[in-house]
Amino acid sequence: MTLGSRLRLATVWLSGCSGCHMSLLDLDEWLFVLADLAEIVYSPVASDCKIYPPQVDVCLVEGAVANRDNLELALQLRACTTVVIALGDCAALGNVTALRNLCGAGVQQSAGEALDCAYRHLSDGEGRVPTDPILLPRVLPLHRVIAVDGVIPGCPPTAAAIRAALETLLQR
Ligand code: SF4
């Protein structure tokens, strides 16, 4: 961030339930303070921007890396961001999203086994397995894919924890 400029802040939603972003919205009136101090340049809750922009100062990332779209976005945001923060336990550890890793007999089989279970064995419909987005063989926490600079733990993290982290980053 250059002197005198507002922090360029992004938030990204990979494979998660959106609960971490709901906690972000629980900041309530402090969001007005944040809006004065930071420019939200990419976010599912505060921006219409569809393409991850360059020169982002801080990115909060919700969710684990579960499919190729997640993987591409994770690599892109890392290349364009100074500080990447894993927001919540799915991004940090895999957590709920990674439960599908328990499917299947082998470590490389969880995607196929999970899709078969959900769309064929347990389905009362036509049992057609979706092909988009393409699932990775296993769900990965963010740090297994890109370098992560910090973690805000919790499922979801509390609004107070998110605010404390942002206040620290805004003072840099
Ligand atoms: Fe949802 Fe919890 Fe995962 Fe956040 S950490 S995306 S609240 S399951």
Side-chain angles (χ1 to χ4, degrees):
M1 183 170 57
T2 57
L3 198 63
S5 65
R6 287 196 300 167
L7 182 110
R8 285 171 59 79
L9 176 65
T11 80
V12 163
W13 180 11
L14 300 179
S15 287
C17 73
S18 85
C20 294
H21 271 84
M22 294 303 107
S23 268
L24 184 64
L25 295 179
D26 281 343
L27 288 167
D28 296 332
E29 66 273 11
W30 193 78
L31 288 170
F32 292 104
V33 177
L34 181 62
D36 279 341
L37 299 173
E39 179 186 1
I40 313 298
V41 294
Y42 184 93
S43 175
V45 295
S47 167
D48 288 333
C49 182
K50 302 296 182 224
I51 298 173
Y52 197 86
Q55 296 178 313
V56 176
D57 294 311
V58 175
C59 181
L60 307 181
V61 183
E62 169 186 330
V65 181
N67 59 51
R68 283 197 196 168
D69 292 355
N70 294 162
L71 180 59
E72 287 175 12
L73 182 51
L75 294 172
Q76 185 180 7
L77 75 87
R78 180 65 277 184
C80 298
T81 309
T82 304
V83 177
V84 175
I85 303 290
L87 176 64
D89 289 348
C90 287
L93 304 168
N95 195 35
V96 175
T97 312
L99 286 176
R100 77 140 154 104
N101 290 350
L102 302 175
C103 294
V107 293
Q108 296 300 320
Q109 297 178 5
S110 77
E113 292 285 341
L115 287 170
D116 273 347
C117 181
Y119 290 92
R120 291 205 173 102
H121 306 323
L122 299 179
S123 168
D124 56 3
E126 296 179 8
R128 288 170 50 192
V129 176
T131 56
D132 184 41
I134 298 171
L135 298 188
L136 299 179
R138 293 179 62 77
V139 176
L140 299 170
L142 191 60
H143 70 87
R144 291 283 302 278
V145 174
I146 61 171
V148 172
D149 303 299
V151 171
I152 307 175
C155 181
T158 63
I162 296 171
R163 175 174 169 173
L166 286 172
E167 286 177 329
T168 301
L169 290 163
L170 286 163
Q171 290 168 6
R172 286 159 65 103

mmCIF file with all atom_site columns, all heavy atoms in Angstrom, residues 148-170:
data_model
loop_
_atom_site.group_PDB
_atom_site.id
_atom_site.type_symbol
_atom_site.label_atom_id
_atom_site.label_alt_id
_atom_site.label_comp_id
_atom_site.label_asym_id
_atom_site.label_entity_id
_atom_site.label_seq_id
_atom_site.pdbx_PDB_ins_code
_atom_site.Cartn_x
_atom_site.Cartn_y
_atom_site.Cartn_z
_atom_site.occupancy
_atom_site.B_iso_or_equiv
_atom_site.pdbx_formal_charge
_atom_site.auth_seq_id
_atom_site.auth_comp_id
_atom_site.auth_asym_id
_atom_site.auth_atom_id
_atom_site.pdbx_PDB_model_num
ATOM 1   N N   . VAL A 1 148 ? 0.437   -18.940 2.359  1.00 0.00 ? 148 VAL A N   1
ATOM 2   C CA  . VAL A 1 148 ? -0.551  -18.193 3.129  1.00 0.00 ? 148 VAL A CA  1
ATOM 3   C C   . VAL A 1 148 ? 0.187   -17.402 4.216  1.00 0.00 ? 148 VAL A C   1
ATOM 4   O O   . VAL A 1 148 ? 1.065   -17.935 4.891  1.00 0.00 ? 148 VAL A O   1
ATOM 5   C CB  . VAL A 1 148 ? -1.582  -19.157 3.757  1.00 0.00 ? 148 VAL A CB  1
ATOM 6   C CG1 . VAL A 1 148 ? -2.504  -18.421 4.717  1.00 0.00 ? 148 VAL A CG1 1
ATOM 7   C CG2 . VAL A 1 148 ? -2.397  -19.840 2.666  1.00 0.00 ? 148 VAL A CG2 1
ATOM 8   N N   . ASP A 1 149 ? -0.191  -16.145 4.369  1.00 0.00 ? 149 ASP A N   1
ATOM 9   C CA  . ASP A 1 149 ? 0.528   -15.260 5.287  1.00 0.00 ? 149 ASP A CA  1
ATOM 10  C C   . ASP A 1 149 ? -0.074  -15.202 6.685  1.00 0.00 ? 149 ASP A C   1
ATOM 11  O O   . ASP A 1 149 ? 0.574   -14.724 7.618  1.00 0.00 ? 149 ASP A O   1
ATOM 12  C CB  . ASP A 1 149 ? 0.570   -13.849 4.692  1.00 0.00 ? 149 ASP A CB  1
ATOM 13  C CG  . ASP A 1 149 ? 1.219   -13.854 3.314  1.00 0.00 ? 149 ASP A CG  1
ATOM 14  O OD1 . ASP A 1 149 ? 2.398   -14.229 3.226  1.00 0.00 ? 149 ASP A OD1 1
ATOM 15  O OD2 . ASP A 1 149 ? 0.539   -13.506 2.332  1.00 0.00 ? 149 ASP A OD2 1
ATOM 16  N N   . GLY A 1 150 ? -1.306  -15.647 6.839  1.00 0.00 ? 150 GLY A N   1
ATOM 17  C CA  . GLY A 1 150 ? -1.933  -15.613 8.152  1.00 0.00 ? 150 GLY A CA  1
ATOM 18  C C   . GLY A 1 150 ? -3.252  -16.368 8.131  1.00 0.00 ? 150 GLY A C   1
ATOM 19  O O   . GLY A 1 150 ? -3.777  -16.715 7.075  1.00 0.00 ? 150 GLY A O   1
ATOM 20  N N   . VAL A 1 151 ? -3.765  -16.624 9.328  1.00 0.00 ? 151 VAL A N   1
ATOM 21  C CA  . VAL A 1 151 ? -5.012  -17.392 9.478  1.00 0.00 ? 151 VAL A CA  1
ATOM 22  C C   . VAL A 1 151 ? -5.910  -16.689 10.489 1.00 0.00 ? 151 VAL A C   1
ATOM 23  O O   . VAL A 1 151 ? -5.436  -16.230 11.534 1.00 0.00 ? 151 VAL A O   1
ATOM 24  C CB  . VAL A 1 151 ? -4.712  -18.826 9.970  1.00 0.00 ? 151 VAL A CB  1
ATOM 25  C CG1 . VAL A 1 151 ? -5.995  -19.554 10.333 1.00 0.00 ? 151 VAL A CG1 1
ATOM 26  C CG2 . VAL A 1 151 ? -3.927  -19.610 8.924  1.00 0.00 ? 151 VAL A CG2 1
ATOM 27  N N   . ILE A 1 152 ? -7.194  -16.594 10.165 1.00 0.00 ? 152 ILE A N   1
ATOM 28  C CA  . ILE A 1 152 ? -8.197  -16.195 11.157 1.00 0.00 ? 152 ILE A CA  1
ATOM 29  C C   . ILE A 1 152 ? -9.022  -17.452 11.425 1.00 0.00 ? 152 ILE A C   1
ATOM 30  O O   . ILE A 1 152 ? -9.855  -17.841 10.596 1.00 0.00 ? 152 ILE A O   1
ATOM 31  C CB  . ILE A 1 152 ? -9.094  -15.044 10.645 1.00 0.00 ? 152 ILE A CB  1
ATOM 32  C CG1 . ILE A 1 152 ? -8.249  -13.864 10.160 1.00 0.00 ? 152 ILE A CG1 1
ATOM 33  C CG2 . ILE A 1 152 ? -10.049 -14.592 11.757 1.00 0.00 ? 152 ILE A CG2 1
ATOM 34  C CD1 . ILE A 1 152 ? -9.064  -12.729 9.534  1.00 0.00 ? 152 ILE A CD1 1
ATOM 35  N N   . PRO A 1 153 ? -8.774  -18.152 12.555 1.00 0.00 ? 153 PRO A N   1
ATOM 36  C CA  . PRO A 1 153 ? -9.415  -19.447 12.774 1.00 0.00 ? 153 PRO A CA  1
ATOM 37  C C   . PRO A 1 153 ? -10.875 -19.311 13.191 1.00 0.00 ? 153 PRO A C   1
ATOM 38  O O   . PRO A 1 153 ? -11.326 -18.252 13.639 1.00 0.00 ? 153 PRO A O   1
ATOM 39  C CB  . PRO A 1 153 ? -8.567  -20.060 13.897 1.00 0.00 ? 153 PRO A CB  1
ATOM 40  C CG  . PRO A 1 153 ? -8.029  -18.877 14.646 1.00 0.00 ? 153 PRO A CG  1
ATOM 41  C CD  . PRO A 1 153 ? -7.852  -17.781 13.637 1.00 0.00 ? 153 PRO A CD  1
ATOM 42  N N   . GLY A 1 154 ? -11.585 -20.435 13.082 1.00 0.00 ? 154 GLY A N   1
ATOM 43  C CA  . GLY A 1 154 ? -12.969 -20.478 13.535 1.00 0.00 ? 154 GLY A CA  1
ATOM 44  C C   . GLY A 1 154 ? -13.884 -21.015 12.457 1.00 0.00 ? 154 GLY A C   1
ATOM 45  O O   . GLY A 1 154 ? -13.561 -21.000 11.278 1.00 0.00 ? 154 GLY A O   1
ATOM 46  N N   . CYS A 1 155 ? -15.032 -21.502 12.878 1.00 0.00 ? 155 CYS A N   1
ATOM 47  C CA  . CYS A 1 155 ? -16.019 -22.045 11.938 1.00 0.00 ? 155 CYS A CA  1
ATOM 48  C C   . CYS A 1 155 ? -17.426 -21.609 12.370 1.00 0.00 ? 155 CYS A C   1
ATOM 49  O O   . CYS A 1 155 ? -18.140 -22.359 12.991 1.00 0.00 ? 155 CYS A O   1
ATOM 50  C CB  . CYS A 1 155 ? -15.916 -23.567 11.879 1.00 0.00 ? 155 CYS A CB  1
ATOM 51  S SG  . CYS A 1 155 ? -17.096 -24.337 10.720 1.00 0.00 ? 155 CYS A SG  1
ATOM 52  N N   . PRO A 1 156 ? -17.761 -20.372 11.991 1.00 0.00 ? 156 PRO A N   1
ATOM 53  C CA  . PRO A 1 156 ? -16.932 -19.385 11.313 1.00 0.00 ? 156 PRO A CA  1
ATOM 54  C C   . PRO A 1 156 ? -16.098 -18.600 12.315 1.00 0.00 ? 156 PRO A C   1
ATOM 55  O O   . PRO A 1 156 ? -16.358 -18.640 13.515 1.00 0.00 ? 156 PRO A O   1
ATOM 56  C CB  . PRO A 1 156 ? -17.972 -18.464 10.651 1.00 0.00 ? 156 PRO A CB  1
ATOM 57  C CG  . PRO A 1 156 ? -19.106 -18.469 11.634 1.00 0.00 ? 156 PRO A CG  1
ATOM 58  C CD  . PRO A 1 156 ? -19.153 -19.867 12.190 1.00 0.00 ? 156 PRO A CD  1
ATOM 59  N N   . PRO A 1 157 ? -15.111 -17.836 11.829 1.00 0.00 ? 157 PRO A N   1
ATOM 60  C CA  . PRO A 1 157 ? -14.420 -16.905 12.719 1.00 0.00 ? 157 PRO A CA  1
ATOM 61  C C   . PRO A 1 157 ? -15.421 -15.881 13.239 1.00 0.00 ? 157 PRO A C   1
ATOM 62  O O   . PRO A 1 157 ? -16.383 -15.534 12.549 1.00 0.00 ? 157 PRO A O   1
ATOM 63  C CB  . PRO A 1 157 ? -13.389 -16.229 11.810 1.00 0.00 ? 157 PRO A CB  1
ATOM 64  C CG  . PRO A 1 157 ? -13.384 -16.996 10.545 1.00 0.00 ? 157 PRO A CG  1
ATOM 65  C CD  . PRO A 1 157 ? -14.668 -17.711 10.439 1.00 0.00 ? 157 PRO A CD  1
ATOM 66  N N   . THR A 1 158 ? -15.190 -15.377 14.436 1.00 0.00 ? 158 THR A N   1
ATOM 67  C CA  . THR A 1 158 ? -16.090 -14.346 14.959 1.00 0.00 ? 158 THR A CA  1
ATOM 68  C C   . THR A 1 158 ? -15.831 -13.022 14.242 1.00 0.00 ? 158 THR A C   1
ATOM 69  O O   . THR A 1 158 ? -14.736 -12.771 13.723 1.00 0.00 ? 158 THR A O   1
ATOM 70  C CB  . THR A 1 158 ? -15.868 -14.130 16.464 1.00 0.00 ? 158 THR A CB  1
ATOM 71  O OG1 . THR A 1 158 ? -14.524 -13.651 16.663 1.00 0.00 ? 158 THR A OG1 1
ATOM 72  C CG2 . THR A 1 158 ? -16.077 -15.412 17.241 1.00 0.00 ? 158 THR A CG2 1
ATOM 73  N N   . ALA A 1 159 ? -16.854 -12.173 14.244 1.00 0.00 ? 159 ALA A N   1
ATOM 74  C CA  . ALA A 1 159 ? -16.682 -10.838 13.676 1.00 0.00 ? 159 ALA A CA  1
ATOM 75  C C   . ALA A 1 159 ? -15.583 -10.087 14.414 1.00 0.00 ? 159 ALA A C   1
ATOM 76  O O   . ALA A 1 159 ? -14.805 -9.340  13.806 1.00 0.00 ? 159 ALA A O   1
ATOM 77  C CB  . ALA A 1 159 ? -18.002 -10.070 13.737 1.00 0.00 ? 159 ALA A CB  1
ATOM 78  N N   . ALA A 1 160 ? -15.489 -10.294 15.736 1.00 0.00 ? 160 ALA A N   1
ATOM 79  C CA  . ALA A 1 160 ? -14.452 -9.623  16.521 1.00 0.00 ? 160 ALA A CA  1
ATOM 80  C C   . ALA A 1 160 ? -13.056 -10.040 16.072 1.00 0.00 ? 160 ALA A C   1
ATOM 81  O O   . ALA A 1 160 ? -12.137 -9.214  15.997 1.00 0.00 ? 160 ALA A O   1
ATOM 82  C CB  . ALA A 1 160 ? -14.646 -9.923  18.008 1.00 0.00 ? 160 ALA A CB  1
ATOM 83  N N   . ALA A 1 161 ? -12.891 -11.331 15.762 1.00 0.00 ? 161 ALA A N   1
ATOM 84  C CA  . ALA A 1 161 ? -11.577 -11.804 15.309 1.00 0.00 ? 161 ALA A CA  1
ATOM 85  C C   . ALA A 1 161 ? -11.244 -11.221 13.934 1.00 0.00 ? 161 ALA A C   1
ATOM 86  O O   . ALA A 1 161 ? -10.086 -10.857 13.672 1.00 0.00 ? 161 ALA A O   1
ATOM 87  C CB  . ALA A 1 161 ? -11.568 -13.330 15.256 1.00 0.00 ? 161 ALA A CB  1
ATOM 88  N N   . ILE A 1 162 ? -12.240 -11.140 13.063 1.00 0.00 ? 162 ILE A N   1
ATOM 89  C CA  . ILE A 1 162 ? -12.002 -10.564 11.732 1.00 0.00 ? 162 ILE A CA  1
ATOM 90  C C   . ILE A 1 162 ? -11.646 -9.086  11.868 1.00 0.00 ? 162 ILE A C   1
ATOM 91  O O   . ILE A 1 162 ? -10.711 -8.602  11.235 1.00 0.00 ? 162 ILE A O   1
ATOM 92  C CB  . ILE A 1 162 ? -13.247 -10.754 10.840 1.00 0.00 ? 162 ILE A CB  1
ATOM 93  C CG1 . ILE A 1 162 ? -13.510 -12.245 10.611 1.00 0.00 ? 162 ILE A CG1 1
ATOM 94  C CG2 . ILE A 1 162 ? -13.060 -10.029 9.505  1.00 0.00 ? 162 ILE A CG2 1
ATOM 95  C CD1 . ILE A 1 162 ? -14.836 -12.532 9.921  1.00 0.00 ? 162 ILE A CD1 1
ATOM 96  N N   . ARG A 1 163 ? -12.376 -8.390  12.715 1.00 0.00 ? 163 ARG A N   1
ATOM 97  C CA  . ARG A 1 163 ? -12.090 -6.963  12.912 1.00 0.00 ? 163 ARG A CA  1
ATOM 98  C C   . ARG A 1 163 ? -10.678 -6.756  13.470 1.00 0.00 ? 163 ARG A C   1
ATOM 99  O O   . ARG A 1 163 ? -9.934  -5.878  13.005 1.00 0.00 ? 163 ARG A O   1
ATOM 100 C CB  . ARG A 1 163 ? -13.127 -6.340  13.850 1.00 0.00 ? 163 ARG A CB  1
ATOM 101 C CG  . ARG A 1 163 ? -12.814 -4.888  14.187 1.00 0.00 ? 163 ARG A CG  1
ATOM 102 C CD  . ARG A 1 163 ? -13.929 -4.257  15.000 1.00 0.00 ? 163 ARG A CD  1
ATOM 103 N NE  . ARG A 1 163 ? -13.498 -2.965  15.540 1.00 0.00 ? 163 ARG A NE  1
ATOM 104 C CZ  . ARG A 1 163 ? -14.288 -2.115  16.182 1.00 0.00 ? 163 ARG A CZ  1
ATOM 105 N NH1 . ARG A 1 163 ? -15.557 -2.419  16.371 1.00 0.00 ? 163 ARG A NH1 1
ATOM 106 N NH2 . ARG A 1 163 ? -13.823 -0.974  16.636 1.00 0.00 ? 163 ARG A NH2 1
ATOM 107 N N   . ALA A 1 164 ? -10.294 -7.575  14.457 1.00 0.00 ? 164 ALA A N   1
ATOM 108 C CA  . ALA A 1 164 ? -8.952  -7.431  15.047 1.00 0.00 ? 164 ALA A CA  1
ATOM 109 C C   . ALA A 1 164 ? -7.874  -7.639  13.992 1.00 0.00 ? 164 ALA A C   1
ATOM 110 O O   . ALA A 1 164 ? -6.873  -6.907  13.940 1.00 0.00 ? 164 ALA A O   1
ATOM 111 C CB  . ALA A 1 164 ? -8.793  -8.427  16.196 1.00 0.00 ? 164 ALA A CB  1
ATOM 112 N N   . ALA A 1 165 ? -8.072  -8.633  13.130 1.00 0.00 ? 165 ALA A N   1
ATOM 113 C CA  . ALA A 1 165 ? -7.077  -8.886  12.079 1.00 0.00 ? 165 ALA A CA  1
ATOM 114 C C   . ALA A 1 165 ? -7.027  -7.724  11.093 1.00 0.00 ? 165 ALA A C   1
ATOM 115 O O   . ALA A 1 165 ? -5.940  -7.273  10.700 1.00 0.00 ? 165 ALA A O   1
ATOM 116 C CB  . ALA A 1 165 ? -7.427  -10.187 11.356 1.00 0.00 ? 165 ALA A CB  1
ATOM 117 N N   . LEU A 1 166 ? -8.182  -7.232  10.706 1.00 0.00 ? 166 LEU A N   1
ATOM 118 C CA  . LEU A 1 166 ? -8.205  -6.128  9.739  1.00 0.00 ? 166 LEU A CA  1
ATOM 119 C C   . LEU A 1 166 ? -7.613  -4.856  10.341 1.00 0.00 ? 166 LEU A C   1
ATOM 120 O O   . LEU A 1 166 ? -6.899  -4.114  9.654  1.00 0.00 ? 166 LEU A O   1
ATOM 121 C CB  . LEU A 1 166 ? -9.643  -5.889  9.258  1.00 0.00 ? 166 LEU A CB  1
ATOM 122 C CG  . LEU A 1 166 ? -10.190 -6.934  8.278  1.00 0.00 ? 166 LEU A CG  1
ATOM 123 C CD1 . LEU A 1 166 ? -11.670 -6.707  8.020  1.00 0.00 ? 166 LEU A CD1 1
ATOM 124 C CD2 . LEU A 1 166 ? -9.408  -6.901  6.964  1.00 0.00 ? 166 LEU A CD2 1
ATOM 125 N N   . GLU A 1 167 ? -7.904  -4.608  11.614 1.00 0.00 ? 167 GLU A N   1
ATOM 126 C CA  . GLU A 1 167 ? -7.338  -3.417  12.251 1.00 0.00 ? 167 GLU A CA  1
ATOM 127 C C   . GLU A 1 167 ? -5.810  -3.488  12.265 1.00 0.00 ? 167 GLU A C   1
ATOM 128 O O   . GLU A 1 167 ? -5.125  -2.479  12.037 1.00 0.00 ? 167 GLU A O   1
ATOM 129 C CB  . GLU A 1 167 ? -7.901  -3.238  13.657 1.00 0.00 ? 167 GLU A CB  1
ATOM 130 C CG  . GLU A 1 167 ? -9.341  -2.737  13.651 1.00 0.00 ? 167 GLU A CG  1
ATOM 131 C CD  . GLU A 1 167 ? -9.935  -2.626  15.042 1.00 0.00 ? 167 GLU A CD  1
ATOM 132 O OE1 . GLU A 1 167 ? -9.560  -3.414  15.938 1.00 0.00 ? 167 GLU A OE1 1
ATOM 133 O OE2 . GLU A 1 167 ? -10.805 -1.758  15.233 1.00 0.00 ? 167 GLU A OE2 1
ATOM 134 N N   . THR A 1 168 ? -5.274  -4.667  12.527 1.00 0.00 ? 168 THR A N   1
ATOM 135 C CA  . THR A 1 168 ? -3.820  -4.849  12.496 1.00 0.00 ? 168 THR A CA  1
ATOM 136 C C   . THR A 1 168 ? -3.266  -4.589  11.097 1.00 0.00 ? 168 THR A C   1
ATOM 137 O O   . THR A 1 168 ? -2.269  -3.889  10.917 1.00 0.00 ? 168 THR A O   1
ATOM 138 C CB  . THR A 1 168 ? -3.448  -6.274  12.959 1.00 0.00 ? 168 THR A CB  1
ATOM 139 O OG1 . THR A 1 168 ? -3.941  -6.458  14.290 1.00 0.00 ? 168 THR A OG1 1
ATOM 140 C CG2 . THR A 1 168 ? -1.952  -6.481  12.939 1.00 0.00 ? 168 THR A CG2 1
ATOM 141 N N   . LEU A 1 169 ? -3.938  -5.140  10.114 1.00 0.00 ? 169 LEU A N   1
ATOM 142 C CA  . LEU A 1 169 ? -3.457  -4.974  8.736  1.00 0.00 ? 169 LEU A CA  1
ATOM 143 C C   . LEU A 1 169 ? -3.578  -3.525  8.273  1.00 0.00 ? 169 LEU A C   1
ATOM 144 O O   . LEU A 1 169 ? -2.731  -3.043  7.514  1.00 0.00 ? 169 LEU A O   1
ATOM 145 C CB  . LEU A 1 169 ? -4.259  -5.908  7.811  1.00 0.00 ? 169 LEU A CB  1
ATOM 146 C CG  . LEU A 1 169 ? -3.958  -7.390  8.000  1.00 0.00 ? 169 LEU A CG  1
ATOM 147 C CD1 . LEU A 1 169 ? -5.049  -8.241  7.372  1.00 0.00 ? 169 LEU A CD1 1
ATOM 148 C CD2 . LEU A 1 169 ? -2.604  -7.736  7.397  1.00 0.00 ? 169 LEU A CD2 1
ATOM 149 N N   . LEU A 1 170 ? -4.590  -2.838  8.740  1.00 0.00 ? 170 LEU A N   1
ATOM 150 C CA  . LEU A 1 170 ? -4.785  -1.439  8.329  1.00 0.00 ? 170 LEU A CA  1
ATOM 151 C C   . LEU A 1 170 ? -3.716  -0.527  8.913  1.00 0.00 ? 170 LEU A C   1
ATOM 152 O O   . LEU A 1 170 ? -3.480  0.566   8.402  1.00 0.00 ? 170 LEU A O   1
ATOM 153 C CB  . LEU A 1 170 ? -6.184  -0.968  8.759  1.00 0.00 ? 170 LEU A CB  1
ATOM 154 C CG  . LEU A 1 170 ? -7.339  -1.513  7.920  1.00 0.00 ? 170 LEU A CG  1
ATOM 155 C CD1 . LEU A 1 170 ? -8.664  -1.338  8.651  1.00 0.00 ? 170 LEU A CD1 1
ATOM 156 C CD2 . LEU A 1 170 ? -7.390  -0.816  6.561  1.00 0.00 ? 170 LEU A CD2 1
#
